[in-house]
Amino acid sequence: HAAGCRRVCHPGVREAVVSTQSTGSLKKIIFVDADQIVRADMKELVDLDLQGAPYGYTPFCDDRPEMDGFRFWKQGYWRNHLMGRAYHISALYVVDLQRFRLISAGDRLRGQYQGLSQDPNSLANLDQDLPNNMIHQVPIKSLPQEWLWCETWCSESSKKYAKTIDLCNNPLTKEPKLERALRIAPEWQEYDKRQKEILEKGASQASVDQTKKSGDVHSEL
């Protein structure tokens, strides 16, 4: 599980870095964004047959009509490039390490990345655009839609099937993610409560430690 990689790895090369790291006996790695709420057993993704693809991503939802104007992959360059294939979101994906290395997917992605990164306007969101751009050379297994539900793109009726909830940005409302989490995910209220308790406990302990330290200094005087 490499959930922190989006924050640590250089944009666009998370997938390519996999092939250069020592992963021991690991067969698969699952990447999960930090702003994602998991409601299912992730082992399901480990056991999922990727049918020869080196990795699996979830396609963007297509059933919230009011967002049609923001679906950039259905127009211009992306519509022509994908040729009817889905555009996939990078908030969660699973990598078959053996297959990834067997077909030299890392080398292919790195080569494409080097070429595209020379032009800052070539790809707007590299960590997501890169695998979609390379879909003809490095195939993507489309994960079942329930593996990633995002309120911005997915219908409300499909939320009950969600195995993960992604707090992706909404260009219409620009609602802060923590506010959205409290509104759409009932379990987040408990998470938020526990987090505040931990922070308050830490602050209280720090205050006690500081008071004790000050007292020790006075004693030495």
Side-chain angles (χ1 to χ4, degrees), residues 86-97:
Y87 181 87
H88 299 79
I89 188 170
S90 64
L92 175 147
Y93 59 93
V94 55
V95 181
D96 182 329
L97 295 174

Side-chain angles (χ1 to χ4, degrees), residues 182 187-202:
L182 287 168
E187 64 266 40
W188 192 263
Q189 296 185 22
E190 179 61 27
Y191 297 155
D192 192 56
K193 178 183 176 182
R194 287 168 57 190
Q195 177 180 311
K196 288 178 179 178
E197 289 174 349
I198 292 171
L199 290 174
E200 289 173 358
K201 183 177 180 180

Side-chain angles (χ1 to χ4, degrees), residues 2-200:
C5 195
R6 165 159 268 190
R7 307 302 178 200
V8 177
C9 297
H10 195 283
V13 294
R14 285 183 296 171
E15 299 88 343
V17 166
V18 169
S19 62
T20 66
Q21 294 180 327
S22 175
T23 52
S25 60
L26 283 178
K27 294 182 178 179
K28 289 183 179 178
I29 292 179
I30 298 172
F31 291 79
V32 186
D33 264 7
D35 63 346
Q36 201 149 335
I37 301 169
V38 177
R39 290 181 162 183
D41 186 348
M42 301 300 280
K43 190 176 183 299
E44 292 181 43
L45 281 182
V46 174
D47 296 336
L48 185 68
D49 182 5
L50 298 183
Q51 300 177 329
Y55 40 45
Y57 290 72
T58 308
F60 267 87
C61 287
D62 198 25
D63 53 357
R64 193 174 279 276
E66 61 267 33
M67 301 305 296
D68 284 349
F70 294 96
R71 290 188 169 89
F72 59 86
W73 57 92
K74 290 197 168 187
Q75 51 192 308
Y77 168 80
W78 283 110
R79 183 180 63 181
N80 296 331
H81 180 74
L82 293 172
M83 300 173 62
R85 293 173 174 82
Y87 181 87
H88 299 79
I89 188 170
S90 64
L92 175 147
Y93 59 93
V94 55
V95 181
D96 182 329
L97 295 174
Q98 294 180 339
R99 184 63 179 166
F100 190 92
R101 290 171 176 146
L102 182 64
I103 67 171
S104 300
D107 292 336
R108 298 184 190 187
L109 290 165
R110 275 192 298 273
Q112 184 74 345
Y113 170 77
Q114 290 298 328
L116 294 172
S117 62
Q118 303 305 311
D119 177 7
N121 298 315
S122 61
L123 294 178
N125 187 11
L126 267 177
D127 71 318
Q128 186 166 279
D129 286 347
L130 181 61
N132 282 288
N133 181 261
M134 289 290 288
I135 196 169
H136 301 293
Q137 293 80 22
V138 184
I140 297 174
K141 164 65 177 176
S142 293
L143 301 178
Q145 195 66 65
E146 61 264 22
W147 273 108
L148 198 147
W149 185 89
C150 168
E151 185 183 49
T152 303
W153 309 106
C154 306
S155 68
E156 196 63 31
S157 61
S158 62
K159 179 182 172 183
K160 60 185 176 183
Y161 304 111
K163 293 185 176 181
T164 73
I165 294 178
D166 182 38
L167 301 175
C168 52
N169 295 315
N170 188 320
L172 288 178
T173 66
K174 297 180 173 58
E175 180 182 21
K177 292 191 176 187
L178 289 179
E179 292 181 15
R180 191 179 317 133
L182 287 168
R183 179 174 56 79
I184 67 177
E187 64 266 40
W188 192 263
Q189 296 185 22
E190 179 61 27
Y191 297 155
D192 192 56
K193 178 183 176 182
R194 287 168 57 190
Q195 177 180 311
K196 288 178 179 178
E197 289 174 349
I198 292 171
L199 290 174
E200 289 173 358

